[in-house]
Amino acid sequence: MCGIVGFTGLRHAAPVLLDGLKKLEYRGYDSAGLAVMNDGVLSVKKVSGRIANLCEITKDGNTMPGEVGIGHTRWATHGAPTEENAHPHLSNDGKFAIVHNGIIENYIKLREELTERGYHFDSETDTEVIVHLLEMYYKGDMRKTLIKVVNRLKGSYALGVICADEPGKIFAAREASPLIIGLGLDENYFASDVTALVSNTRNVIYMDDGDFAELTSDSVVIFDGTARPVEKKSSRINWDVQAAEKGGFDHFMLKEIMEQPAAVKATTAPRIRKGRIDFEEIDISAAELAGIRKIVITACGSAYYAGCAGRYALEKLTGIPVETELASELRYSDPLIDEHTLVIVISQSGETADTIAAMKECRAKGAKVLAIVNVVGSTVAKLADYTVYTWAGPEIAVATTKGYTTQVTVLYMLSMFFAEKLGRISGKEYDRLMVMITRLPRHIQQAIDMNPRVTELAKKYHKSKALFFIGRNTDYAVALEGALKMKEISYLHAEAYAAGELKHGTIALIEEHTPVIALCCNRKIMEKTLSNIVEVKARGAEVLALTFRDNQKILSEADDLLFMPKVDEIFSAVIEILPLQLLAYHVAKENGCDIDKPKNLAKSVTVE
Ligand code: G6P
């Protein structure tokens, strides 16, 4: 986690760095700091807590003169979120300041070695070893020094460095943590994510693992581990600044919920040509596809639940067995995966450590990996054999919404694309499903239109001790994500249960007025879920049912109802999740929670 920024130019650096850090705060928000160089002298300011505190003590950066600097926002791993542990860290001679995103795995050994050599440590972080190594190896050539230092490191890093002996310059290095160079006019930048750059420039260079960078106001040199310059193509960011701003909404989460019809359209439209789904990015032949014996979907958090929701369509339409496995489990399970397995990896950020590790494990076993990812140029996108971007635009709220729906949408489209290639879907069925795919944005909008009713329901449920989400099959998959949304941002205890499993334990927890949110959008098994509704009602539960208006039996049993647009269960998850996202949002709002930055969480989990 953590976000880093760097600036070199002809204007005051600190306000630019603070502006960038605010955009990266979703990556970590327990402490922050800046280091600025002015006339060859480094000054550092650090705070525990939010970037707002850093703005306050530096008067929005105005008390820190200098045109070169680096900044950091932290999600603590090694050491508590105190001022001492906040970055930047300074070398003992005051010559170097560094910011770091990642984990240095061999820091204990390095710390012992450096302590023996007389360096003293001011923090408990793994990062601090890097700055002392810089001091130890520096003999006047920063490029060589940086290479020497990273050769001593094991782990992951996006590193930003300034050195008092190198006026006008910022240095960076990347290994397994995101880092992007921004190219400006008379100024250049680096940041962990393009969102921190777009207010200054749209021209960027995505750094690769093993790359180093030396930036001045008018030059950018990327070099490799032998100090040789490497040619890199620049890319243009094609979304505008407003995409990463709240735009009048109280929270990014609400804005992103509301953006889902457009986001799903951005996912689907470019891949629909003449009534057919075409993934140009998947260069896989029908023969290769026919050789696939199973598909394994792996991911973390909501991305994993997106996999759970999409697997039904994938299995049903392709006829290929589909397994879902949490990336954190798969990576250590010595899975039965070989060259006849297609692994689908899902990740909004493309930087989740467990997901990347699982993906590497699967590739090592000979499987081809298809990645469904939102962030362009991210590690997952780079490592995959086939990369399908969701094109959801920047997602800032820690709790994902449009990230999830666009991931599920890609799985639906892949199901049809593969089924057609394999000749396992009739023309009539294909056309029927195609109509449903093109109508998804409209149906999502209809689900969003329930917002006023959901707002009222949140007032009823927000004081609950615990909420249970039940459903079967595709409805169960949605229940998992609905419950996760609720706990992530409202801190209420929320559990999802396969409705049929209730009687094997959880029903013991149902008391008078316990809310049970029953998902009943799968017509084939609605009757079965109805019997579970009756069981929990008999024990005093308050039931909120999501179903169709014509479902008379459920209408008479449930206490509250939310009516869903009429859709076939095969593609219903992306619509059904909307009222649950809204419910979590409004419950959290009622309870005064910090919705975009929930406690203890971070959006991009780059640690194991
Ligand atoms: C974190 C986020 C979740 C996300 C998960 C996986 O826990 O808070 O919203 O689903 O990471 O992230 P990814 O970027 O791989 O989708």
Side-chain angles (χ1 to χ4, degrees), residues 508-534:
L509 300 174
I510 305 290
E511 302 172 346
E512 205 58 33
H513 303 304
T514 303
V516 173
I517 292 130
L519 304 175
C520 312
C521 297
N522 193 322
R523 286 183 189 277
K524 289 185 190 133
I525 40 169
M526 251 173 205
E527 293 281 333
K528 302 287 169 199
T529 310
L530 177 65
S531 62
N532 304 119
I533 292 179
V534 175

Short mmCIF file of all heavy atoms in Angstrom, two decimals, residues 508-534:
data_model
loop_
_atom_site.label_atom_id
_atom_site.label_comp_id
_atom_site.label_asym_id
_atom_site.label_seq_id
_atom_site.Cartn_x
_atom_site.Cartn_y
_atom_site.Cartn_z
N ALA A 508 -29.16 -20.31 14.36
CA ALA A 508 -29.11 -20.15 15.82
C ALA A 508 -28.90 -18.68 16.19
O ALA A 508 -29.18 -18.26 17.31
CB ALA A 508 -27.97 -20.99 16.39
N LEU A 509 -28.38 -17.88 15.27
CA LEU A 509 -28.09 -16.47 15.57
C LEU A 509 -29.28 -15.56 15.28
O LEU A 509 -29.22 -14.36 15.53
CB LEU A 509 -26.90 -16.00 14.74
CG LEU A 509 -25.58 -16.75 14.96
CD1 LEU A 509 -24.53 -16.28 13.98
CD2 LEU A 509 -25.10 -16.53 16.38
N ILE A 510 -30.31 -16.11 14.67
CA ILE A 510 -31.46 -15.27 14.31
C ILE A 510 -32.31 -15.01 15.55
O ILE A 510 -32.74 -15.94 16.23
CB ILE A 510 -32.32 -15.95 13.21
CG1 ILE A 510 -31.47 -16.30 11.98
CG2 ILE A 510 -33.53 -15.08 12.84
CD1 ILE A 510 -30.97 -15.15 11.16
N GLU A 511 -32.50 -13.73 15.81
CA GLU A 511 -33.32 -13.34 16.98
C GLU A 511 -34.43 -12.43 16.49
O GLU A 511 -34.49 -12.07 15.32
CB GLU A 511 -32.48 -12.52 17.96
CG GLU A 511 -31.26 -13.23 18.46
CD GLU A 511 -30.36 -12.30 19.28
OE1 GLU A 511 -30.57 -11.07 19.23
OE2 GLU A 511 -29.48 -12.83 19.96
N GLU A 512 -35.25 -11.98 17.42
CA GLU A 512 -36.29 -11.01 17.12
C GLU A 512 -35.65 -9.79 16.44
O GLU A 512 -34.66 -9.24 16.95
CB GLU A 512 -36.91 -10.61 18.47
CG GLU A 512 -38.32 -10.10 18.47
CD GLU A 512 -39.33 -11.08 17.88
OE1 GLU A 512 -39.19 -12.31 18.01
OE2 GLU A 512 -40.27 -10.56 17.30
N HIS A 513 -36.12 -9.40 15.28
CA HIS A 513 -35.69 -8.22 14.52
C HIS A 513 -34.30 -8.31 13.87
O HIS A 513 -33.77 -7.31 13.42
CB HIS A 513 -35.75 -6.94 15.37
CG HIS A 513 -37.11 -6.69 15.93
ND1 HIS A 513 -38.23 -6.59 15.14
CD2 HIS A 513 -37.52 -6.56 17.21
CE1 HIS A 513 -39.29 -6.40 15.91
NE2 HIS A 513 -38.90 -6.39 17.17
N THR A 514 -33.69 -9.49 13.84
CA THR A 514 -32.42 -9.59 13.11
C THR A 514 -32.70 -9.39 11.61
O THR A 514 -33.54 -10.09 11.04
CB THR A 514 -31.79 -11.00 13.28
OG1 THR A 514 -31.61 -11.24 14.66
CG2 THR A 514 -30.46 -11.12 12.54
N PRO A 515 -32.01 -8.44 10.96
CA PRO A 515 -32.28 -8.26 9.53
C PRO A 515 -31.69 -9.40 8.69
O PRO A 515 -30.53 -9.76 8.86
CB PRO A 515 -31.58 -6.95 9.19
CG PRO A 515 -31.16 -6.35 10.47
CD PRO A 515 -31.09 -7.43 11.49
N VAL A 516 -32.52 -9.93 7.83
CA VAL A 516 -32.04 -10.93 6.86
C VAL A 516 -32.36 -10.38 5.47
O VAL A 516 -33.52 -10.09 5.16
CB VAL A 516 -32.73 -12.30 7.07
CG1 VAL A 516 -32.35 -13.27 5.94
CG2 VAL A 516 -32.34 -12.90 8.42
N ILE A 517 -31.32 -10.22 4.68
CA ILE A 517 -31.52 -9.70 3.33
C ILE A 517 -31.52 -10.90 2.39
O ILE A 517 -30.51 -11.61 2.27
CB ILE A 517 -30.44 -8.67 2.99
CG1 ILE A 517 -30.69 -7.45 3.88
CG2 ILE A 517 -30.52 -8.21 1.54
CD1 ILE A 517 -29.64 -6.91 4.61
N ALA A 518 -32.69 -11.15 1.84
CA ALA A 518 -32.86 -12.37 1.03
C ALA A 518 -32.85 -12.01 -0.45
O ALA A 518 -33.62 -11.18 -0.90
CB ALA A 518 -34.18 -13.04 1.40
N LEU A 519 -31.93 -12.65 -1.16
CA LEU A 519 -31.80 -12.38 -2.60
C LEU A 519 -32.55 -13.47 -3.36
O LEU A 519 -32.23 -14.65 -3.24
CB LEU A 519 -30.32 -12.36 -2.99
CG LEU A 519 -29.51 -11.35 -2.17
CD1 LEU A 519 -28.04 -11.42 -2.49
CD2 LEU A 519 -30.01 -9.94 -2.43
N CYS A 520 -33.54 -13.05 -4.07
CA CYS A 520 -34.42 -14.02 -4.75
C CYS A 520 -34.60 -13.60 -6.21
O CYS A 520 -35.69 -13.23 -6.63
CB CYS A 520 -35.79 -14.07 -4.09
SG CYS A 520 -35.74 -14.20 -2.32
N CYS A 521 -33.52 -13.62 -6.96
CA CYS A 521 -33.59 -13.22 -8.36
C CYS A 521 -33.26 -14.37 -9.28
O CYS A 521 -33.02 -14.17 -10.47
CB CYS A 521 -32.66 -12.04 -8.61
SG CYS A 521 -33.14 -10.61 -7.66
N ASN A 522 -33.18 -15.54 -8.72
CA ASN A 522 -32.89 -16.71 -9.53
C ASN A 522 -34.15 -17.57 -9.56
O ASN A 522 -34.46 -18.30 -8.62
CB ASN A 522 -31.73 -17.48 -8.89
CG ASN A 522 -31.16 -18.51 -9.82
OD1 ASN A 522 -31.90 -19.16 -10.56
ND2 ASN A 522 -29.85 -18.67 -9.79
N ARG A 523 -34.91 -17.40 -10.64
CA ARG A 523 -36.26 -17.97 -10.69
C ARG A 523 -36.27 -19.47 -10.45
O ARG A 523 -37.18 -20.00 -9.83
CB ARG A 523 -36.91 -17.69 -12.04
CG ARG A 523 -37.34 -16.25 -12.17
CD ARG A 523 -38.03 -15.99 -13.48
NE ARG A 523 -38.23 -14.56 -13.65
CZ ARG A 523 -39.24 -13.89 -13.12
NH1 ARG A 523 -40.16 -14.50 -12.41
NH2 ARG A 523 -39.34 -12.59 -13.30
N LYS A 524 -35.21 -20.15 -10.93
CA LYS A 524 -35.22 -21.61 -10.85
C LYS A 524 -35.26 -22.12 -9.42
O LYS A 524 -35.71 -23.24 -9.16
CB LYS A 524 -34.00 -22.17 -11.56
CG LYS A 524 -34.10 -21.99 -13.05
CD LYS A 524 -32.95 -22.63 -13.77
CE LYS A 524 -33.01 -22.19 -15.22
NZ LYS A 524 -31.73 -21.75 -15.72
N ILE A 525 -34.74 -21.35 -8.50
CA ILE A 525 -34.62 -21.86 -7.13
C ILE A 525 -35.25 -20.93 -6.10
O ILE A 525 -35.00 -21.05 -4.90
CB ILE A 525 -33.13 -22.11 -6.76
CG1 ILE A 525 -32.30 -20.97 -7.33
CG2 ILE A 525 -32.65 -23.45 -7.24
CD1 ILE A 525 -30.93 -20.94 -6.83
N MET A 526 -36.08 -20.04 -6.60
CA MET A 526 -36.73 -19.08 -5.71
C MET A 526 -37.55 -19.73 -4.60
O MET A 526 -37.54 -19.31 -3.46
CB MET A 526 -37.70 -18.25 -6.53
CG MET A 526 -37.24 -16.86 -6.72
SD MET A 526 -38.37 -16.14 -7.86
CE MET A 526 -37.34 -14.91 -8.52
N GLU A 527 -38.25 -20.79 -5.00
CA GLU A 527 -39.11 -21.49 -4.04
C GLU A 527 -38.28 -21.98 -2.86
O GLU A 527 -38.74 -21.99 -1.72
CB GLU A 527 -39.75 -22.71 -4.71
CG GLU A 527 -40.75 -22.36 -5.80
CD GLU A 527 -42.09 -21.95 -5.23
OE1 GLU A 527 -42.40 -22.41 -4.13
OE2 GLU A 527 -42.80 -21.16 -5.88
N LYS A 528 -37.06 -22.40 -3.16
CA LYS A 528 -36.19 -22.95 -2.11
C LYS A 528 -35.78 -21.82 -1.16
O LYS A 528 -35.76 -22.00 0.05
CB LYS A 528 -34.94 -23.58 -2.73
CG LYS A 528 -35.24 -24.67 -3.70
CD LYS A 528 -35.72 -25.91 -2.98
CE LYS A 528 -36.27 -26.93 -3.96
NZ LYS A 528 -37.13 -27.92 -3.31
N THR A 529 -35.44 -20.68 -1.73
CA THR A 529 -35.06 -19.55 -0.86
C THR A 529 -36.27 -19.10 -0.06
O THR A 529 -36.14 -18.71 1.12
CB THR A 529 -34.48 -18.39 -1.70
OG1 THR A 529 -33.48 -18.92 -2.56
CG2 THR A 529 -33.87 -17.31 -0.84
N LEU A 530 -37.43 -19.20 -0.67
CA LEU A 530 -38.65 -18.82 0.04
C LEU A 530 -38.79 -19.65 1.33
O LEU A 530 -39.14 -19.12 2.39
CB LEU A 530 -39.87 -19.01 -0.87
CG LEU A 530 -41.22 -18.73 -0.23
CD1 LEU A 530 -41.33 -17.26 0.16
CD2 LEU A 530 -42.37 -19.11 -1.16
N SER A 531 -38.49 -20.92 1.23
CA SER A 531 -38.64 -21.75 2.44
C SER A 531 -37.66 -21.29 3.52
O SER A 531 -37.97 -21.34 4.72
CB SER A 531 -38.48 -23.23 2.12
OG SER A 531 -37.19 -23.44 1.62
N ASN A 532 -36.50 -20.78 3.14
CA ASN A 532 -35.56 -20.26 4.14
C ASN A 532 -36.05 -18.94 4.72
O ASN A 532 -35.83 -18.66 5.91
CB ASN A 532 -34.17 -20.07 3.53
CG ASN A 532 -33.65 -21.36 2.92
OD1 ASN A 532 -33.39 -21.44 1.73
ND2 ASN A 532 -33.55 -22.39 3.75
N ILE A 533 -36.74 -18.17 3.90
CA ILE A 533 -37.31 -16.92 4.41
C ILE A 533 -38.34 -17.26 5.50
O ILE A 533 -38.36 -16.65 6.58
CB ILE A 533 -37.96 -16.11 3.25
CG1 ILE A 533 -36.88 -15.61 2.30
CG2 ILE A 533 -38.81 -14.96 3.79
CD1 ILE A 533 -37.39 -14.83 1.10
N VAL A 534 -39.15 -18.24 5.21
CA VAL A 534 -40.19 -18.64 6.17
C VAL A 534 -39.53 -19.10 7.48
O VAL A 534 -39.96 -18.74 8.58
CB VAL A 534 -41.08 -19.74 5.55
CG1 VAL A 534 -42.08 -20.26 6.55
CG2 VAL A 534 -41.79 -19.22 4.31
#
